[in-house]
Amino acid sequence: MAAVQRLFRAAASGGAATAASMRRMTSLATEQAPSAAAAAAATGFPFKAEEKLTRRPAAERNVQWVFLGCPGVGKGTYASRLSRLLGVPHIATGDLVRDELTSTGPLAKQEILDEVTDIDMVVNLKLREDVLVEKCLGRRICNQCGKNFNLACIDVKGENGLPAIYMAPLLPPNNCMSKLITRADDTEDVVRNRLKIYSDMSQPVEDFYQKQGKLLEFDLPGGIPESWPKLLHVLNLEDQEELKLAAA
């Protein structure tokens, strides 16, 4: 916990808020919570009006947010984009408290975060499982430059109440194409087992934040081009002047 405290204190000493992206054992969210999503849809932001970001100067924004979600859903991607958009630090807390979670369970990280900072909102990123599996199986890493790519072109039709989803591939440049490798754990059996374990562990964490009125569930409608504008909309950020500075 000391490592987490040092990072949050460092961020606070600079006068900045924190956008925290939880990874690995602590990115625990796939189950549906019934009331939070409806509240977000009705208000655009699950807190009182005076807290809305569109009405507050950048220096006064209270954006100590946590991102939850299954492995491969894109927590780090969206948290990093919001970090650049809002000019706040992005702290990946997963590795910092992983050892402490080994013996204390999935709620330990949330309790640790509550001790060192005041979380304002928890964004639960959700994506249908068949799409997550296909996305994870398409991941590749360049063994020379270390960059991540995805060869999967996901075009899933809507059926049985599930939405249609399209995600374009994230292709490497020509000089990386012959150097791509696959992660050893990116096999279908491993991915599906990891998602099941993650789903089982996520419910107490979701309940923990929902009871505090802080959980906002967001169903990703597709890749970044489709999801980013909609995420900004539910966060009341689509009219921010800083949008032009967001990562492309």
Side-chain angles (χ1 to χ4, degrees):
M1 182 162 66
V4 181
Q5 290 173 329
R6 286 195 296 271
L7 271 181
F8 276 95
R9 286 169 182 165
S13 67
T18 303
S21 169
M22 307 186 77
R23 298 184 184 183
R24 299 190 183 182
M25 287 287 292
T26 59
S27 305
L28 308 172
T30 54
E31 298 294 321
Q32 181 75 25
S35 60
T43 64
F45 197 77
F47 306 109
K48 53 190 178 182
E50 59 266 27
E51 291 295 325
K52 289 188 176 182
L53 299 182
T54 52
R55 300 186 180 184
R56 303 183 67 188
E60 298 177 7
R61 290 183 184 132
N62 203 20
V63 287
Q64 296 183 137
W65 298 346
V66 170
F67 279 75
L68 303 178
C70 286
V73 78
K75 298 175 296 295
T77 297
Y78 291 104
S80 295
R81 283 174 163 251
L82 286 168
S83 172
R84 291 193 293 270
L85 175 64
L86 298 172
V88 298
H90 167 209
I91 300 175
T93 61
D95 294 335
L96 297 174
V97 297
R98 179 178 49 190
D99 293 339
E100 297 186 44
L101 283 177
T102 302
S103 59
T104 56
L107 281 178
K109 175 171 285 187
Q110 283 62 50
E111 294 167 354
I112 291 171
L113 286 176
D114 275 2
E115 289 180 13
V116 298
T117 188
D118 293 323
I119 301 300
D120 305 302
M121 180 171 62
V122 177
V123 181
N124 182 10
L125 299 179
K126 301 175 65 179
L127 189 63
R128 46 188 286 185
E129 182 175 321
D130 55 338
V131 174
L132 269 169
V133 171
E134 190 172 350
K135 182 182 177 186
C136 288
L137 295 181
R139 292 191 295 197
R140 298 292 187 275
I141 304 171
C142 176
N143 64 5
Q144 180 171 312
C145 70
K147 291 184 179 179
N148 293 287
F149 304 98
N150 200 303
L151 305 184
C153 181
I154 299 172
D155 190 2
V156 180
K157 295 181 179 180
E159 56 184 2
N160 300 324
L162 297 174
I165 292 181
Y166 176 76
M167 291 185 171
L170 179 60
L171 299 176
N174 291 334
N175 60 308
C176 290
M177 185 64 76
S178 62
K179 305 176 182 67
L180 297 183
I181 58 174
T182 304
R183 286 173 40 164
D185 58 348
D186 276 347
T187 66
E188 183 168 353
D189 287 343
V190 171
V191 169
R192 289 192 182 277
N193 184 58
R194 195 165 60 216
L195 292 176
K196 182 182 183 304
I197 293 172
Y198 209 76
S199 177
D200 292 341
M201 295 181 66
S202 71
Q203 194 61 56
V205 180
E206 294 177 20
D207 292 343
F208 178 84
Y209 284 121
Q210 187 181 18
K211 289 175 182 178
Q212 297 182 20
K214 296 179 179 180
L215 185 68
L216 170 63
E217 299 211 292
F218 181 76
D219 289 288
L220 294 165
I224 292 175
E226 298 81 17
S227 300
W228 177 242
K230 290 181 172 61
L231 180 60
L232 293 177
H233 175 72
V234 300
L235 296 175
N236 277 342
L237 292 173
E238 73 270 28
D239 294 329
Q240 293 293 303
E241 292 182 2
E242 296 96 330
L243 279 175
K244 67 184 70 173
L245 302 177

Short mmCIF file of all heavy atoms in Angstrom, two decimals, residues 151-196:
data_model
loop_
_atom_site.label_atom_id
_atom_site.label_comp_id
_atom_site.label_asym_id
_atom_site.label_seq_id
_atom_site.Cartn_x
_atom_site.Cartn_y
_atom_site.Cartn_z
N LEU A 151 -4.83 -7.68 -35.03
CA LEU A 151 -5.12 -8.08 -36.39
C LEU A 151 -6.59 -8.43 -36.62
O LEU A 151 -7.01 -8.63 -37.75
CB LEU A 151 -4.26 -9.29 -36.79
CG LEU A 151 -2.74 -9.15 -36.61
CD1 LEU A 151 -2.04 -10.40 -37.13
CD2 LEU A 151 -2.23 -7.90 -37.33
N ALA A 152 -7.37 -8.48 -35.55
CA ALA A 152 -8.76 -8.90 -35.67
C ALA A 152 -9.61 -7.78 -36.28
O ALA A 152 -9.56 -6.64 -35.85
CB ALA A 152 -9.32 -9.27 -34.30
N CYS A 153 -10.37 -8.15 -37.29
CA CYS A 153 -11.39 -7.24 -37.83
C CYS A 153 -12.74 -7.79 -37.37
O CYS A 153 -13.24 -8.78 -37.90
CB CYS A 153 -11.33 -7.20 -39.36
SG CYS A 153 -12.54 -6.07 -40.09
N ILE A 154 -13.29 -7.17 -36.35
CA ILE A 154 -14.49 -7.69 -35.69
C ILE A 154 -15.74 -7.06 -36.30
O ILE A 154 -15.90 -5.84 -36.29
CB ILE A 154 -14.43 -7.43 -34.18
CG1 ILE A 154 -13.20 -8.13 -33.58
CG2 ILE A 154 -15.72 -7.87 -33.50
CD1 ILE A 154 -12.94 -7.79 -32.14
N ASP A 155 -16.58 -7.89 -36.84
CA ASP A 155 -17.84 -7.42 -37.45
C ASP A 155 -18.93 -8.41 -37.05
O ASP A 155 -19.20 -9.38 -37.75
CB ASP A 155 -17.69 -7.34 -38.97
CG ASP A 155 -18.88 -6.64 -39.62
OD1 ASP A 155 -19.78 -6.18 -38.89
OD2 ASP A 155 -18.90 -6.54 -40.86
N VAL A 156 -19.51 -8.16 -35.88
CA VAL A 156 -20.47 -9.09 -35.29
C VAL A 156 -21.88 -8.55 -35.47
O VAL A 156 -22.17 -7.39 -35.13
CB VAL A 156 -20.17 -9.30 -33.79
CG1 VAL A 156 -21.18 -10.27 -33.17
CG2 VAL A 156 -18.75 -9.82 -33.60
N LYS A 157 -22.77 -9.37 -35.99
CA LYS A 157 -24.15 -8.96 -36.18
C LYS A 157 -24.90 -8.98 -34.85
O LYS A 157 -24.62 -9.78 -33.97
CB LYS A 157 -24.84 -9.90 -37.17
CG LYS A 157 -24.27 -9.84 -38.58
CD LYS A 157 -25.03 -10.78 -39.50
CE LYS A 157 -24.46 -10.72 -40.93
NZ LYS A 157 -25.18 -11.64 -41.85
N GLY A 158 -25.86 -8.07 -34.73
CA GLY A 158 -26.69 -8.06 -33.54
C GLY A 158 -27.69 -9.21 -33.57
O GLY A 158 -28.34 -9.43 -34.58
N GLU A 159 -27.78 -9.94 -32.46
CA GLU A 159 -28.73 -11.05 -32.37
C GLU A 159 -28.98 -11.40 -30.92
O GLU A 159 -28.15 -11.13 -30.05
CB GLU A 159 -28.21 -12.28 -33.12
CG GLU A 159 -26.85 -12.76 -32.65
CD GLU A 159 -26.33 -13.91 -33.47
OE1 GLU A 159 -27.02 -14.30 -34.43
OE2 GLU A 159 -25.24 -14.43 -33.16
N ASN A 160 -30.14 -11.97 -30.67
CA ASN A 160 -30.53 -12.40 -29.32
C ASN A 160 -30.41 -11.27 -28.30
O ASN A 160 -29.97 -11.47 -27.16
CB ASN A 160 -29.67 -13.59 -28.87
CG ASN A 160 -29.83 -14.80 -29.77
OD1 ASN A 160 -30.91 -15.07 -30.27
ND2 ASN A 160 -28.72 -15.51 -29.99
N GLY A 161 -30.78 -10.08 -28.72
CA GLY A 161 -30.74 -8.93 -27.82
C GLY A 161 -29.38 -8.28 -27.67
O GLY A 161 -29.26 -7.27 -26.97
N LEU A 162 -28.35 -8.83 -28.30
CA LEU A 162 -27.00 -8.26 -28.22
C LEU A 162 -26.79 -7.32 -29.40
O LEU A 162 -27.24 -7.59 -30.51
CB LEU A 162 -25.95 -9.36 -28.23
CG LEU A 162 -25.99 -10.33 -27.05
CD1 LEU A 162 -24.99 -11.46 -27.26
CD2 LEU A 162 -25.71 -9.61 -25.75
N PRO A 163 -26.08 -6.20 -29.17
CA PRO A 163 -25.90 -5.21 -30.23
C PRO A 163 -24.89 -5.66 -31.27
O PRO A 163 -23.99 -6.47 -30.98
CB PRO A 163 -25.39 -3.98 -29.47
CG PRO A 163 -24.66 -4.56 -28.30
CD PRO A 163 -25.45 -5.78 -27.89
N ALA A 164 -25.02 -5.15 -32.48
CA ALA A 164 -24.00 -5.35 -33.50
C ALA A 164 -22.77 -4.51 -33.14
O ALA A 164 -22.90 -3.41 -32.61
CB ALA A 164 -24.52 -4.93 -34.87
N ILE A 165 -21.60 -5.05 -33.39
CA ILE A 165 -20.36 -4.34 -33.03
C ILE A 165 -19.36 -4.48 -34.17
O ILE A 165 -19.14 -5.58 -34.71
CB ILE A 165 -19.75 -4.91 -31.73
CG1 ILE A 165 -20.66 -4.59 -30.54
CG2 ILE A 165 -18.36 -4.34 -31.50
CD1 ILE A 165 -20.13 -5.10 -29.23
N TYR A 166 -18.74 -3.34 -34.52
CA TYR A 166 -17.67 -3.36 -35.51
C TYR A 166 -16.42 -2.74 -34.90
O TYR A 166 -16.47 -1.66 -34.30
CB TYR A 166 -18.06 -2.58 -36.76
CG TYR A 166 -16.91 -2.50 -37.76
CD1 TYR A 166 -16.57 -3.60 -38.54
CD2 TYR A 166 -16.14 -1.34 -37.86
CE1 TYR A 166 -15.51 -3.55 -39.43
CE2 TYR A 166 -15.07 -1.28 -38.75
CZ TYR A 166 -14.76 -2.40 -39.52
OH TYR A 166 -13.70 -2.34 -40.40
N MET A 167 -15.31 -3.44 -35.03
CA MET A 167 -14.02 -2.93 -34.57
C MET A 167 -13.00 -3.16 -35.67
O MET A 167 -12.71 -4.31 -36.03
CB MET A 167 -13.56 -3.63 -33.29
CG MET A 167 -14.37 -3.30 -32.07
SD MET A 167 -13.66 -4.08 -30.59
CE MET A 167 -14.64 -3.33 -29.31
N ALA A 168 -12.45 -2.09 -36.19
CA ALA A 168 -11.43 -2.20 -37.23
C ALA A 168 -10.12 -2.70 -36.63
O ALA A 168 -9.84 -2.47 -35.45
CB ALA A 168 -11.22 -0.83 -37.89
N PRO A 169 -9.32 -3.41 -37.40
CA PRO A 169 -8.03 -3.88 -36.89
C PRO A 169 -7.06 -2.72 -36.66
O PRO A 169 -7.18 -1.66 -37.30
CB PRO A 169 -7.53 -4.80 -38.00
CG PRO A 169 -8.20 -4.30 -39.24
CD PRO A 169 -9.55 -3.81 -38.80
N LEU A 170 -6.15 -2.91 -35.74
CA LEU A 170 -5.07 -1.95 -35.51
C LEU A 170 -3.81 -2.56 -36.10
O LEU A 170 -3.08 -3.31 -35.44
CB LEU A 170 -4.90 -1.68 -34.01
CG LEU A 170 -3.79 -0.71 -33.61
CD1 LEU A 170 -4.00 0.67 -34.23
CD2 LEU A 170 -3.68 -0.60 -32.09
N LEU A 171 -3.58 -2.27 -37.37
CA LEU A 171 -2.52 -2.94 -38.11
C LEU A 171 -1.15 -2.28 -37.89
O LEU A 171 -1.07 -1.06 -37.72
CB LEU A 171 -2.86 -2.93 -39.60
CG LEU A 171 -4.14 -3.67 -39.98
CD1 LEU A 171 -4.42 -3.52 -41.47
CD2 LEU A 171 -4.05 -5.15 -39.60
N PRO A 172 -0.09 -3.06 -37.90
CA PRO A 172 1.26 -2.52 -37.72
C PRO A 172 1.79 -1.94 -39.02
O PRO A 172 1.30 -2.26 -40.11
CB PRO A 172 2.07 -3.75 -37.31
CG PRO A 172 1.38 -4.87 -38.04
CD PRO A 172 -0.08 -4.54 -38.03
N PRO A 173 2.82 -1.11 -38.93
CA PRO A 173 3.48 -0.65 -40.16
C PRO A 173 4.23 -1.81 -40.80
O PRO A 173 4.46 -2.85 -40.16
CB PRO A 173 4.45 0.43 -39.65
CG PRO A 173 4.69 0.08 -38.22
CD PRO A 173 3.41 -0.52 -37.72
N ASN A 174 4.61 -1.65 -42.04
CA ASN A 174 5.25 -2.74 -42.79
C ASN A 174 6.51 -3.26 -42.11
O ASN A 174 6.80 -4.45 -42.14
CB ASN A 174 5.58 -2.27 -44.21
CG ASN A 174 4.34 -2.07 -45.05
OD1 ASN A 174 3.30 -2.68 -44.79
ND2 ASN A 174 4.42 -1.19 -46.05
N ASN A 175 7.27 -2.36 -41.48
CA ASN A 175 8.52 -2.79 -40.87
C ASN A 175 8.32 -3.63 -39.62
O ASN A 175 9.25 -4.28 -39.13
CB ASN A 175 9.41 -1.58 -40.54
CG ASN A 175 8.74 -0.62 -39.58
OD1 ASN A 175 7.61 -0.20 -39.81
ND2 ASN A 175 9.43 -0.25 -38.51
N CYS A 176 7.09 -3.64 -39.07
CA CYS A 176 6.81 -4.46 -37.90
C CYS A 176 6.11 -5.77 -38.25
O CYS A 176 6.08 -6.71 -37.43
CB CYS A 176 5.93 -3.69 -36.90
SG CYS A 176 6.74 -2.32 -36.07
N MET A 177 5.53 -5.85 -39.44
CA MET A 177 4.65 -6.97 -39.78
C MET A 177 5.34 -8.33 -39.61
O MET A 177 4.75 -9.28 -39.10
CB MET A 177 4.16 -6.82 -41.22
CG MET A 177 3.15 -7.87 -41.64
SD MET A 177 1.60 -7.79 -40.69
CE MET A 177 0.84 -6.35 -41.48
N SER A 178 6.60 -8.44 -40.01
CA SER A 178 7.29 -9.73 -39.94
C SER A 178 7.84 -10.02 -38.54
O SER A 178 8.38 -11.10 -38.30
CB SER A 178 8.45 -9.76 -40.94
OG SER A 178 9.41 -8.77 -40.64
N LYS A 179 7.68 -9.09 -37.63
CA LYS A 179 8.24 -9.25 -36.28
C LYS A 179 7.18 -9.44 -35.22
O LYS A 179 7.46 -9.35 -34.03
CB LYS A 179 9.11 -8.03 -35.94
CG LYS A 179 10.22 -7.73 -36.96
CD LYS A 179 10.97 -6.47 -36.61
CE LYS A 179 12.03 -6.16 -37.64
NZ LYS A 179 11.42 -5.79 -38.97
N LEU A 180 5.93 -9.69 -35.64
CA LEU A 180 4.83 -9.81 -34.69
C LEU A 180 4.87 -11.15 -33.98
O LEU A 180 5.14 -12.20 -34.58
CB LEU A 180 3.49 -9.65 -35.42
CG LEU A 180 3.23 -8.30 -36.08
CD1 LEU A 180 1.84 -8.28 -36.69
CD2 LEU A 180 3.39 -7.16 -35.08
N ILE A 181 4.59 -11.12 -32.68
CA ILE A 181 4.49 -12.34 -31.89
C ILE A 181 3.17 -12.31 -31.12
O ILE A 181 2.56 -11.25 -30.91
CB ILE A 181 5.67 -12.49 -30.90
CG1 ILE A 181 5.73 -11.29 -29.96
CG2 ILE A 181 6.98 -12.65 -31.66
CD1 ILE A 181 6.78 -11.43 -28.87
N THR A 182 2.71 -13.49 -30.71
CA THR A 182 1.48 -13.62 -29.94
C THR A 182 1.80 -13.89 -28.48
O THR A 182 2.73 -14.66 -28.18
CB THR A 182 0.63 -14.79 -30.50
OG1 THR A 182 0.39 -14.59 -31.88
CG2 THR A 182 -0.69 -14.90 -29.76
N ARG A 183 1.06 -13.27 -27.58
CA ARG A 183 1.25 -13.54 -26.16
C ARG A 183 0.95 -15.00 -25.88
O ARG A 183 0.01 -15.58 -26.40
CB ARG A 183 0.33 -12.65 -25.33
CG ARG A 183 0.77 -11.22 -25.27
CD ARG A 183 -0.25 -10.32 -24.58
NE ARG A 183 -0.87 -10.93 -23.40
CZ ARG A 183 -1.54 -10.22 -22.48
NH1 ARG A 183 -1.67 -8.92 -22.62
NH2 ARG A 183 -2.10 -10.82 -21.45
N ALA A 184 1.75 -15.60 -24.99
CA ALA A 184 1.59 -17.02 -24.69
C ALA A 184 0.22 -17.34 -24.10
O ALA A 184 -0.31 -18.44 -24.29
CB ALA A 184 2.68 -17.46 -23.71
N ASP A 185 -0.39 -16.37 -23.40
CA ASP A 185 -1.69 -16.62 -22.77
C ASP A 185 -2.87 -16.21 -23.64
O ASP A 185 -4.02 -16.27 -23.20
CB ASP A 185 -1.78 -15.92 -21.41
CG ASP A 185 -1.56 -14.42 -21.51
OD1 ASP A 185 -1.12 -13.95 -22.58
OD2 ASP A 185 -1.84 -13.71 -20.52
N ASP A 186 -2.63 -15.81 -24.86
CA ASP A 186 -3.73 -15.42 -25.76
C ASP A 186 -4.20 -16.62 -26.59
O ASP A 186 -4.12 -16.64 -27.81
CB ASP A 186 -3.30 -14.27 -26.67
CG ASP A 186 -3.44 -12.92 -25.99
OD1 ASP A 186 -4.09 -12.86 -24.93
OD2 ASP A 186 -2.92 -11.92 -26.51
N THR A 187 -4.67 -17.64 -25.90
CA THR A 187 -5.35 -18.77 -26.53
C THR A 187 -6.80 -18.73 -26.08
O THR A 187 -7.12 -18.16 -25.04
CB THR A 187 -4.70 -20.11 -26.12
OG1 THR A 187 -4.92 -20.31 -24.71
CG2 THR A 187 -3.22 -20.12 -26.42
N GLU A 188 -7.68 -19.34 -26.87
CA GLU A 188 -9.12 -19.22 -26.55
C GLU A 188 -9.45 -19.80 -25.18
O GLU A 188 -10.21 -19.19 -24.41
CB GLU A 188 -9.95 -19.89 -27.63
CG GLU A 188 -11.45 -19.72 -27.38
CD GLU A 188 -12.30 -20.13 -28.56
OE1 GLU A 188 -11.72 -20.43 -29.63
OE2 GLU A 188 -13.53 -20.14 -28.42
N ASP A 189 -8.90 -20.95 -24.85
CA ASP A 189 -9.20 -21.57 -23.56
C ASP A 189 -8.75 -20.68 -22.40
O ASP A 189 -9.47 -20.50 -21.41
CB ASP A 189 -8.54 -22.94 -23.45
CG ASP A 189 -9.21 -23.98 -24.33
OD1 ASP A 189 -10.35 -23.73 -24.76
OD2 ASP A 189 -8.60 -25.03 -24.59
N VAL A 190 -7.54 -20.14 -22.52
CA VAL A 190 -7.00 -19.29 -21.46
C VAL A 190 -7.82 -18.01 -21.34
O VAL A 190 -8.16 -17.57 -20.23
CB VAL A 190 -5.52 -18.97 -21.73
CG1 VAL A 190 -5.02 -17.91 -20.75
CG2 VAL A 190 -4.67 -20.23 -21.63
N VAL A 191 -8.15 -17.40 -22.47
CA VAL A 191 -8.90 -16.14 -22.45
C VAL A 191 -10.28 -16.35 -21.83
O VAL A 191 -10.71 -15.58 -20.96
CB VAL A 191 -9.04 -15.57 -23.88
CG1 VAL A 191 -10.04 -14.42 -23.89
CG2 VAL A 191 -7.69 -15.09 -24.39
N ARG A 192 -10.99 -17.39 -22.25
CA ARG A 192 -12.33 -17.65 -21.70
C ARG A 192 -12.28 -17.96 -20.21
O ARG A 192 -13.13 -17.51 -19.43
CB ARG A 192 -13.00 -18.78 -22.46
CG ARG A 192 -13.41 -18.39 -23.88
CD ARG A 192 -14.33 -19.42 -24.50
NE ARG A 192 -14.69 -19.06 -25.86
CZ ARG A 192 -15.68 -18.22 -26.18
NH1 ARG A 192 -16.41 -17.66 -25.21
NH2 ARG A 192 -15.95 -17.95 -27.44
N ASN A 193 -11.28 -18.72 -19.78
CA ASN A 193 -11.15 -19.02 -18.36
C ASN A 193 -10.84 -17.76 -17.56
O ASN A 193 -11.38 -17.55 -16.46
CB ASN A 193 -10.05 -20.06 -18.14
CG ASN A 193 -9.95 -20.49 -16.69
OD1 ASN A 193 -10.90 -20.98 -16.10
ND2 ASN A 193 -8.78 -20.29 -16.10
N ARG A 194 -9.98 -16.91 -18.13
CA ARG A 194 -9.63 -15.66 -17.46
C ARG A 194 -10.85 -14.75 -17.32
O ARG A 194 -11.06 -14.11 -16.28
CB ARG A 194 -8.52 -14.96 -18.25
CG ARG A 194 -7.82 -13.84 -17.48
CD ARG A 194 -6.53 -13.48 -18.18
NE ARG A 194 -6.74 -13.02 -19.53
CZ ARG A 194 -5.92 -13.28 -20.54
NH1 ARG A 194 -4.86 -14.02 -20.35
NH2 ARG A 194 -6.16 -12.79 -21.74
N LEU A 195 -11.68 -14.70 -18.35
CA LEU A 195 -12.89 -13.88 -18.30
C LEU A 195 -13.89 -14.42 -17.28
O LEU A 195 -14.56 -13.65 -16.59
CB LEU A 195 -13.55 -13.82 -19.68
CG LEU A 195 -12.77 -13.06 -20.76
CD1 LEU A 195 -13.50 -13.16 -22.10
CD2 LEU A 195 -12.57 -11.61 -20.37
N LYS A 196 -14.00 -15.75 -17.17
CA LYS A 196 -14.91 -16.34 -16.19
C LYS A 196 -14.47 -16.02 -14.77
O LYS A 196 -15.27 -15.62 -13.91
CB LYS A 196 -14.99 -17.86 -16.39
CG LYS A 196 -15.97 -18.53 -15.43
CD LYS A 196 -15.99 -20.03 -15.62
CE LYS A 196 -17.03 -20.68 -14.69
NZ LYS A 196 -16.81 -20.35 -13.27
#
